[in-house]
Amino acid sequence: MTLRIGIIGTGAIGTDHARRINRVLSGAEVTAVTDVNRDNAEACVAGVAPGAQILGSAEEVIAASDAVLVCSWGAAHEAQVLAAIAAGKPCFCEKPLATEAYGARRIVEAEEAMGRRLVQVGFMRRYDRGYVALKETVRTRLGPPLMIHAAHRNPTVPGRYRTPMAIHDTLIHEIDVLRWLLDDEYVSAQVIFPRATRHTHAGLRDPQIVLLETAKGVRIDVEIFVNCRYGYDIQCEVVGEEGTARLPEPTAIPTRLGAVFGQPILMDWKDRFIDSYDVELQDFLKAAAQGTAAGPSAWDGYVAAITADVCAQAQERPGAILPVTLPARPALYA
Ligand code: NAI
Ligand code: ISE
């Protein structure tokens, strides 16, 4: 059976997911799309989803599909995911699950009431070969992890990007993947601001350093620098009792040319985890065919949202160490 997939929000990533479902992955076809900007829906259909009808609302897409992808702006995710759960349809939601923790909690509660998992959150780094190998090394060879040094650097961001987005849009990936990497939970967060780059503006403090502490006592520093100019660069080094391990660099051809030893650096986030998007969505399609969801859960999205809210509060009080308090994990997510 070919799953009928609906896509809500056909901008950059919605269109890219439509392409991979129709051209790369197996078992599904994009049959319905919607976007508040109809031009974007038309461009998506014309470019990569010729078999899809353009519908007027998220609800119509949900009704017409076996499973849906929510790829709209973060603020719209909560209502659209809740509508998918209410209809009993598996739903892949791009990060963030909701822009504030209480929205994510409502999704967890709705899924619990339904009694089965229906939501997968788009934390694709858990599917990246580099992070998977790093996790295995940490688990088997490094001894207890003590510290993580990480960095999330973008060459530039759009003018509408503001200070809190460094947490909700950008750091959210590290919040999820580092907790997964360590199999641990956060207990506190702190934000400090170094000297600002001249390439930013009044609405964006850039760079920032977020310091996280876990229940097992691991200390994590994450640099977020979204106007670094030189490339899209994701770094992660774990320091354990017996040694250190690093996230591998993306494959690139090193050159010795003109008296320079060189290695290219990617500029676009779309290229950095391109394989992991394929794997995460294939995982979604496999579970959706059984009427359920796998992979990063609504609970993971909720924990990330709670942590992000604390980090955003910590931005308001630079230097203050704020507690991260998590509720008990429901049985559905054991
Ligand atoms: P975008 O701005 O290119 O596309 C979003 C689309 O959603 C636009 O076409 C917009 O018109 C549409 N839209 C907004 N609100 C809507 C609503 N209520 N109903 C229907 N359509 C609506 O943004 P982009 O980069 O595609 O991001 C979309 C989501 O994906 C965001 O939550 C973002 O954080 C996430 N994302 C995840 C990435 C990842 O690495 N996992 C990478 C990039 C984005
Ligand atoms: C973007 O929205 C993403 O999700 C990318 O994966 C991330 O690395 C980038 O910083 C965000 O702006």
Side-chain angles (χ1 to χ4, degrees):
M1 179 190 115
T2 301
L3 273 187
R4 296 170 304 152
I5 300 295
I7 301 190
I8 301 165
T10 48
I13 203 149
T15 298
D16 205 35
H17 286 334
R19 174 194 61 78
R20 56 175 51 85
I21 286 171
N22 282 348
R23 297 183 182 170
V24 182
L25 309 181
S26 57
E29 188 191 346
V30 179
T31 50
V33 300
T34 190
D35 197 295
V36 286
N37 179 346
R38 193 178 164 94
D39 289 349
N40 286 358
E42 283 172 2
C44 173
V45 168
V48 296
Q53 50 177 337
I54 300 175
L55 298 175
S57 69
E59 288 72 19
E60 286 171 76
V61 167
I62 292 165
S65 313
D66 300 315
V68 294
L69 272 51
V70 171
C71 302
S72 52
W73 296 320
H77 291 180
E78 180 195 342
Q80 295 167 345
V81 173
L82 285 173
I85 294 173
K89 304 276 173 85
C91 171
F92 173 91
C93 179
E94 262 309 337
K95 43 67 56 173
L97 179 60
T99 41
E100 289 180 273
Y102 62 82
R105 190 181 66 207
R106 277 197 283 268
I107 292 173
V108 163
E109 286 168 356
E111 208 180 31
E112 269 194 284
M114 189 56 85
R116 71 179 198 279
R117 277 200 53 193
L118 285 169
V119 178
Q120 176 177 336
V121 181
F123 288 135
M124 77 297 177
R125 288 194 194 176
R126 292 182 182 211
Y127 293 92
D128 172 65
R129 254 189 279 177
Y131 273 111
V132 170
L134 181 59
K135 183 175 165 88
E136 185 60 7
T137 303
V138 170
R139 195 180 68 79
T140 57
R141 298 179 57 203
L142 230 51
L146 311 174
M147 294 174 278
I148 292 184
H149 309 297
H152 188 148
R153 303 191 186 117
N154 290 42
T156 55
V157 284
R160 63 182 161 76
Y161 188 106
R162 294 288 183 270
T163 300
M165 292 174 74
I167 305 294
H168 294 290
D169 266 30
T170 301
L171 180 77
I172 197 87
H173 283 297
E174 273 76 17
I175 289 177
D176 179 69
V177 82
L178 299 183
R179 135 178 203 272
W180 165 85
L181 186 69
L182 294 172
D183 198 12
D184 203 349
E185 298 291 3
Y186 303 118
V187 295
S188 76
Q190 181 185 16
V191 176
I192 53 179
F193 295 102
R195 177 180 172 179
T197 168
R198 72 186 168 88
H199 298 299
T200 191
H201 53 81
L204 172 60
R205 300 282 299 264
D206 188 41
Q208 314 182 13
I209 298 171
V210 178
L211 301 167
L212 296 161
E213 183 187 3
T214 73
K216 292 177 192 161
V218 180
R219 294 289 182 149
I220 300 170
D221 55 273
V222 187
E223 169 203 314
I224 312 158
F225 187 12
V226 295
N227 286 290
C228 81
R229 312 312 257 197
Y230 73 83
Y232 180 73
D233 191 10
I234 302 299
Q235 297 288 329
C236 181
E237 182 190 34
V238 184
V239 180
E241 263 181 16
E242 307 302 329
T244 75
R246 223 173 219 293
L247 183 69
E249 295 291 336
T251 308
I253 299 297
T255 52
R256 287 172 166 81
L257 277 177
V260 173
F261 176 69
Q263 177 136 357
I265 297 176
L266 295 171
M267 287 301 284
D268 193 335
W269 58 261
K270 285 195 198 75
D271 302 322
R272 175 63 179 86
F273 293 105
I274 189 148
D275 298 335
S276 59
Y277 295 117
D278 292 349
V279 188
E280 72 167 352
L281 271 189
Q282 191 69 73
D283 204 28
F284 173 70
L285 297 179
K286 187 174 157 206
Q290 308 301 317
T292 184
S297 66
W299 176 255
D300 295 316
Y302 179 35
V303 170
I306 292 173
T307 311
D309 281 0
V310 175
C311 291
Q313 287 158 21
Q315 286 181 322
E316 303 287 318
R317 297 171 54 196
I321 300 172
L322 304 185
V324 177
T325 309
L326 302 181
R329 186 193 288 252
L332 181 63
Y333 307 103

PDB file of all heavy atoms in Angstrom, residues 299-323:
ATOM      1  N   TRP A 299       7.287  13.493  23.809  1.00  0.00           N
ATOM      2  CA  TRP A 299       7.931  13.709  25.117  1.00  0.00           C
ATOM      3  C   TRP A 299       9.302  14.366  24.924  1.00  0.00           C
ATOM      4  O   TRP A 299       9.655  15.312  25.639  1.00  0.00           O
ATOM      5  CB  TRP A 299       8.065  12.374  25.865  1.00  0.00           C
ATOM      6  CG  TRP A 299       8.805  12.513  27.153  1.00  0.00           C
ATOM      7  CD1 TRP A 299      10.081  12.143  27.433  1.00  0.00           C
ATOM      8  CD2 TRP A 299       8.304  13.132  28.357  1.00  0.00           C
ATOM      9  NE1 TRP A 299      10.420  12.481  28.720  1.00  0.00           N
ATOM     10  CE2 TRP A 299       9.345  13.081  29.316  1.00  0.00           C
ATOM     11  CE3 TRP A 299       7.089  13.729  28.704  1.00  0.00           C
ATOM     12  CZ2 TRP A 299       9.203  13.596  30.594  1.00  0.00           C
ATOM     13  CZ3 TRP A 299       6.947  14.244  29.988  1.00  0.00           C
ATOM     14  CH2 TRP A 299       7.997  14.174  30.915  1.00  0.00           C
ATOM     15  N   ASP A 300      10.067  13.887  23.947  1.00  0.00           N
ATOM     16  CA  ASP A 300      11.378  14.505  23.676  1.00  0.00           C
ATOM     17  C   ASP A 300      11.197  15.968  23.263  1.00  0.00           C
ATOM     18  O   ASP A 300      11.982  16.840  23.652  1.00  0.00           O
ATOM     19  CB  ASP A 300      12.118  13.730  22.572  1.00  0.00           C
ATOM     20  CG  ASP A 300      12.473  12.318  23.011  1.00  0.00           C
ATOM     21  OD1 ASP A 300      12.933  12.137  24.146  1.00  0.00           O
ATOM     22  OD2 ASP A 300      12.257  11.382  22.216  1.00  0.00           O
ATOM     23  N   GLY A 301      10.149  16.222  22.468  1.00  0.00           N
ATOM     24  CA  GLY A 301       9.868  17.601  22.057  1.00  0.00           C
ATOM     25  C   GLY A 301       9.492  18.468  23.257  1.00  0.00           C
ATOM     26  O   GLY A 301       9.862  19.651  23.328  1.00  0.00           O
ATOM     27  N   TYR A 302       8.757  17.859  24.195  1.00  0.00           N
ATOM     28  CA  TYR A 302       8.325  18.584  25.406  1.00  0.00           C
ATOM     29  C   TYR A 302       9.533  18.891  26.298  1.00  0.00           C
ATOM     30  O   TYR A 302       9.711  20.020  26.763  1.00  0.00           O
ATOM     31  CB  TYR A 302       7.288  17.722  26.139  1.00  0.00           C
ATOM     32  CG  TYR A 302       6.749  18.289  27.431  1.00  0.00           C
ATOM     33  CD1 TYR A 302       6.541  19.649  27.612  1.00  0.00           C
ATOM     34  CD2 TYR A 302       6.407  17.432  28.487  1.00  0.00           C
ATOM     35  CE1 TYR A 302       6.026  20.144  28.808  1.00  0.00           C
ATOM     36  CE2 TYR A 302       5.893  17.918  29.677  1.00  0.00           C
ATOM     37  CZ  TYR A 302       5.713  19.268  29.838  1.00  0.00           C
ATOM     38  OH  TYR A 302       5.209  19.764  31.018  1.00  0.00           O
ATOM     39  N   VAL A 303      10.388  17.890  26.526  1.00  0.00           N
ATOM     40  CA  VAL A 303      11.587  18.105  27.359  1.00  0.00           C
ATOM     41  C   VAL A 303      12.464  19.186  26.726  1.00  0.00           C
ATOM     42  O   VAL A 303      12.989  20.073  27.413  1.00  0.00           O
ATOM     43  CB  VAL A 303      12.370  16.779  27.541  1.00  0.00           C
ATOM     44  CG1 VAL A 303      13.730  17.041  28.179  1.00  0.00           C
ATOM     45  CG2 VAL A 303      11.561  15.801  28.380  1.00  0.00           C
ATOM     46  N   ALA A 304      12.615  19.124  25.409  1.00  0.00           N
ATOM     47  CA  ALA A 304      13.417  20.150  24.719  1.00  0.00           C
ATOM     48  C   ALA A 304      12.788  21.531  24.908  1.00  0.00           C
ATOM     49  O   ALA A 304      13.492  22.523  25.136  1.00  0.00           O
ATOM     50  CB  ALA A 304      13.540  19.813  23.233  1.00  0.00           C
ATOM     51  N   ALA A 305      11.447  21.581  24.847  1.00  0.00           N
ATOM     52  CA  ALA A 305      10.766  22.882  24.985  1.00  0.00           C
ATOM     53  C   ALA A 305      10.903  23.432  26.407  1.00  0.00           C
ATOM     54  O   ALA A 305      11.096  24.642  26.598  1.00  0.00           O
ATOM     55  CB  ALA A 305       9.292  22.736  24.609  1.00  0.00           C
ATOM     56  N   ILE A 306      10.822  22.559  27.410  1.00  0.00           N
ATOM     57  CA  ILE A 306      11.014  23.014  28.803  1.00  0.00           C
ATOM     58  C   ILE A 306      12.423  23.591  28.958  1.00  0.00           C
ATOM     59  O   ILE A 306      12.625  24.680  29.501  1.00  0.00           O
ATOM     60  CB  ILE A 306      10.829  21.831  29.795  1.00  0.00           C
ATOM     61  CG1 ILE A 306       9.372  21.364  29.818  1.00  0.00           C
ATOM     62  CG2 ILE A 306      11.293  22.222  31.197  1.00  0.00           C
ATOM     63  CD1 ILE A 306       9.126  20.095  30.629  1.00  0.00           C
ATOM     64  N   THR A 307      13.405  22.854  28.434  1.00  0.00           N
ATOM     65  CA  THR A 307      14.802  23.297  28.555  1.00  0.00           C
ATOM     66  C   THR A 307      15.012  24.611  27.794  1.00  0.00           C
ATOM     67  O   THR A 307      15.686  25.530  28.281  1.00  0.00           O
ATOM     68  CB  THR A 307      15.745  22.195  28.017  1.00  0.00           C
ATOM     69  OG1 THR A 307      15.373  20.953  28.610  1.00  0.00           O
ATOM     70  CG2 THR A 307      17.187  22.506  28.338  1.00  0.00           C
ATOM     71  N   ALA A 308      14.407  24.684  26.607  1.00  0.00           N
ATOM     72  CA  ALA A 308      14.554  25.906  25.799  1.00  0.00           C
ATOM     73  C   ALA A 308      13.943  27.105  26.519  1.00  0.00           C
ATOM     74  O   ALA A 308      14.520  28.210  26.505  1.00  0.00           O
ATOM     75  CB  ALA A 308      13.899  25.705  24.431  1.00  0.00           C
ATOM     76  N   ASP A 309      12.789  26.899  27.153  1.00  0.00           N
ATOM     77  CA  ASP A 309      12.162  28.013  27.893  1.00  0.00           C
ATOM     78  C   ASP A 309      13.097  28.524  28.994  1.00  0.00           C
ATOM     79  O   ASP A 309      13.238  29.736  29.200  1.00  0.00           O
ATOM     80  CB  ASP A 309      10.833  27.566  28.516  1.00  0.00           C
ATOM     81  CG  ASP A 309       9.694  27.538  27.493  1.00  0.00           C
ATOM     82  OD1 ASP A 309       9.949  27.870  26.313  1.00  0.00           O
ATOM     83  OD2 ASP A 309       8.559  27.192  27.874  1.00  0.00           O
ATOM     84  N   VAL A 310      13.741  27.574  29.706  1.00  0.00           N
ATOM     85  CA  VAL A 310      14.665  27.990  30.779  1.00  0.00           C
ATOM     86  C   VAL A 310      15.860  28.737  30.173  1.00  0.00           C
ATOM     87  O   VAL A 310      16.291  29.771  30.692  1.00  0.00           O
ATOM     88  CB  VAL A 310      15.128  26.764  31.616  1.00  0.00           C
ATOM     89  CG1 VAL A 310      16.170  27.190  32.644  1.00  0.00           C
ATOM     90  CG2 VAL A 310      13.936  26.098  32.305  1.00  0.00           C
ATOM     91  N   CYS A 311      16.374  28.236  29.058  1.00  0.00           N
ATOM     92  CA  CYS A 311      17.518  28.920  28.408  1.00  0.00           C
ATOM     93  C   CYS A 311      17.114  30.330  27.964  1.00  0.00           C
ATOM     94  O   CYS A 311      17.907  31.277  28.080  1.00  0.00           O
ATOM     95  CB  CYS A 311      18.008  28.117  27.203  1.00  0.00           C
ATOM     96  SG  CYS A 311      18.794  26.569  27.634  1.00  0.00           S
ATOM     97  N   ALA A 312      15.887  30.468  27.456  1.00  0.00           N
ATOM     98  CA  ALA A 312      15.429  31.796  27.011  1.00  0.00           C
ATOM     99  C   ALA A 312      15.291  32.734  28.213  1.00  0.00           C
ATOM    100  O   ALA A 312      15.625  33.929  28.124  1.00  0.00           O
ATOM    101  CB  ALA A 312      14.110  31.671  26.255  1.00  0.00           C
ATOM    102  N   GLN A 313      14.835  32.188  29.363  1.00  0.00           N
ATOM    103  CA  GLN A 313      14.798  33.025  30.582  1.00  0.00           C
ATOM    104  C   GLN A 313      16.218  33.398  31.011  1.00  0.00           C
ATOM    105  O   GLN A 313      16.474  34.512  31.460  1.00  0.00           O
ATOM    106  CB  GLN A 313      14.102  32.264  31.716  1.00  0.00           C
ATOM    107  CG  GLN A 313      12.598  32.138  31.552  1.00  0.00           C
ATOM    108  CD  GLN A 313      12.028  30.972  32.363  1.00  0.00           C
ATOM    109  OE1 GLN A 313      12.637  30.501  33.319  1.00  0.00           O
ATOM    110  NE2 GLN A 313      10.861  30.491  31.964  1.00  0.00           N
ATOM    111  N   ALA A 314      17.139  32.438  30.844  1.00  0.00           N
ATOM    112  CA  ALA A 314      18.537  32.699  31.234  1.00  0.00           C
ATOM    113  C   ALA A 314      19.154  33.781  30.348  1.00  0.00           C
ATOM    114  O   ALA A 314      20.062  34.503  30.785  1.00  0.00           O
ATOM    115  CB  ALA A 314      19.345  31.409  31.175  1.00  0.00           C
ATOM    116  N   GLN A 315      18.681  33.904  29.119  1.00  0.00           N
ATOM    117  CA  GLN A 315      19.177  34.999  28.254  1.00  0.00           C
ATOM    118  C   GLN A 315      18.837  36.365  28.857  1.00  0.00           C
ATOM    119  O   GLN A 315      19.549  37.340  28.653  1.00  0.00           O
ATOM    120  CB  GLN A 315      18.527  34.921  26.872  1.00  0.00           C
ATOM    121  CG  GLN A 315      19.040  33.810  25.979  1.00  0.00           C
ATOM    122  CD  GLN A 315      18.329  33.856  24.628  1.00  0.00           C
ATOM    123  OE1 GLN A 315      17.127  34.134  24.552  1.00  0.00           O
ATOM    124  NE2 GLN A 315      19.061  33.562  23.563  1.00  0.00           N
ATOM    125  N   GLU A 316      17.682  36.398  29.567  1.00  0.00           N
ATOM    126  CA  GLU A 316      17.232  37.664  30.160  1.00  0.00           C
ATOM    127  C   GLU A 316      18.041  38.026  31.410  1.00  0.00           C
ATOM    128  O   GLU A 316      18.004  39.155  31.870  1.00  0.00           O
ATOM    129  CB  GLU A 316      15.750  37.556  30.573  1.00  0.00           C
ATOM    130  CG  GLU A 316      14.798  37.181  29.451  1.00  0.00           C
ATOM    131  CD  GLU A 316      14.599  38.339  28.499  1.00  0.00           C
ATOM    132  OE1 GLU A 316      14.454  39.472  28.993  1.00  0.00           O
ATOM    133  OE2 GLU A 316      14.617  38.120  27.273  1.00  0.00           O
ATOM    134  N   ARG A 317      18.686  37.003  31.994  1.00  0.00           N
ATOM    135  CA  ARG A 317      19.466  37.235  33.225  1.00  0.00           C
ATOM    136  C   ARG A 317      20.867  36.666  33.037  1.00  0.00           C
ATOM    137  O   ARG A 317      21.210  35.631  33.644  1.00  0.00           O
ATOM    138  CB  ARG A 317      18.766  36.552  34.413  1.00  0.00           C
ATOM    139  CG  ARG A 317      17.380  37.131  34.709  1.00  0.00           C
ATOM    140  CD  ARG A 317      16.650  36.285  35.734  1.00  0.00           C
ATOM    141  NE  ARG A 317      17.434  36.092  36.950  1.00  0.00           N
ATOM    142  CZ  ARG A 317      17.155  35.161  37.858  1.00  0.00           C
ATOM    143  NH1 ARG A 317      16.131  34.349  37.704  1.00  0.00           N
ATOM    144  NH2 ARG A 317      17.909  35.042  38.940  1.00  0.00           N
ATOM    145  N   PRO A 318      21.674  37.289  32.170  1.00  0.00           N
ATOM    146  CA  PRO A 318      22.984  36.722  31.845  1.00  0.00           C
ATOM    147  C   PRO A 318      23.792  36.393  33.100  1.00  0.00           C
ATOM    148  O   PRO A 318      23.875  37.191  34.023  1.00  0.00           O
ATOM    149  CB  PRO A 318      23.657  37.826  31.043  1.00  0.00           C
ATOM    150  CG  PRO A 318      22.530  38.645  30.495  1.00  0.00           C
ATOM    151  CD  PRO A 318      21.420  38.566  31.490  1.00  0.00           C
ATOM    152  N   GLY A 319      24.322  35.185  33.126  1.00  0.00           N
ATOM    153  CA  GLY A 319      25.150  34.750  34.263  1.00  0.00           C
ATOM    154  C   GLY A 319      24.379  33.970  35.311  1.00  0.00           C
ATOM    155  O   GLY A 319      24.962  33.189  36.060  1.00  0.00           O
ATOM    156  N   ALA A 320      23.047  34.172  35.394  1.00  0.00           N
ATOM    157  CA  ALA A 320      22.265  33.467  36.423  1.00  0.00           C
ATOM    158  C   ALA A 320      22.122  31.993  36.051  1.00  0.00           C
ATOM    159  O   ALA A 320      21.941  31.661  34.871  1.00  0.00           O
ATOM    160  CB  ALA A 320      20.882  34.102  36.556  1.00  0.00           C
ATOM    161  N   ILE A 321      22.227  31.124  37.049  1.00  0.00           N
ATOM    162  CA  ILE A 321      22.061  29.681  36.822  1.00  0.00           C
ATOM    163  C   ILE A 321      20.630  29.322  37.200  1.00  0.00           C
ATOM    164  O   ILE A 321      20.229  29.467  38.361  1.00  0.00           O
ATOM    165  CB  ILE A 321      23.066  28.867  37.668  1.00  0.00           C
ATOM    166  CG1 ILE A 321      24.494  29.266  37.277  1.00  0.00           C
ATOM    167  CG2 ILE A 321      22.854  27.367  37.471  1.00  0.00           C
ATOM    168  CD1 ILE A 321      25.568  28.665  38.172  1.00  0.00           C
ATOM    169  N   LEU A 322      19.853  28.874  36.213  1.00  0.00           N
ATOM    170  CA  LEU A 322      18.428  28.615  36.447  1.00  0.00           C
ATOM    171  C   LEU A 322      18.164  27.106  36.425  1.00  0.00           C
ATOM    172  O   LEU A 322      18.712  26.381  35.585  1.00  0.00           O
ATOM    173  CB  LEU A 322      17.576  29.290  35.370  1.00  0.00           C
ATOM    174  CG  LEU A 322      17.775  30.806  35.210  1.00  0.00           C
ATOM    175  CD1 LEU A 322      16.780  31.353  34.189  1.00  0.00           C
ATOM    176  CD2 LEU A 322      17.614  31.529  36.532  1.00  0.00           C
ATOM    177  N   PRO A 323      17.301  26.611  37.335  1.00  0.00           N
ATOM    178  CA  PRO A 323      17.027  25.171  37.364  1.00  0.00           C
ATOM    179  C   PRO A 323      16.146  24.729  36.199  1.00  0.00           C
ATOM    180  O   PRO A 323      15.267  25.473  35.762  1.00  0.00           O
ATOM    181  CB  PRO A 323      16.286  24.982  38.693  1.00  0.00           C
ATOM    182  CG  PRO A 323      15.719  26.324  39.006  1.00  0.00           C
ATOM    183  CD  PRO A 323      16.608  27.352  38.384  1.00  0.00           C
TER     184      PRO A 323
END
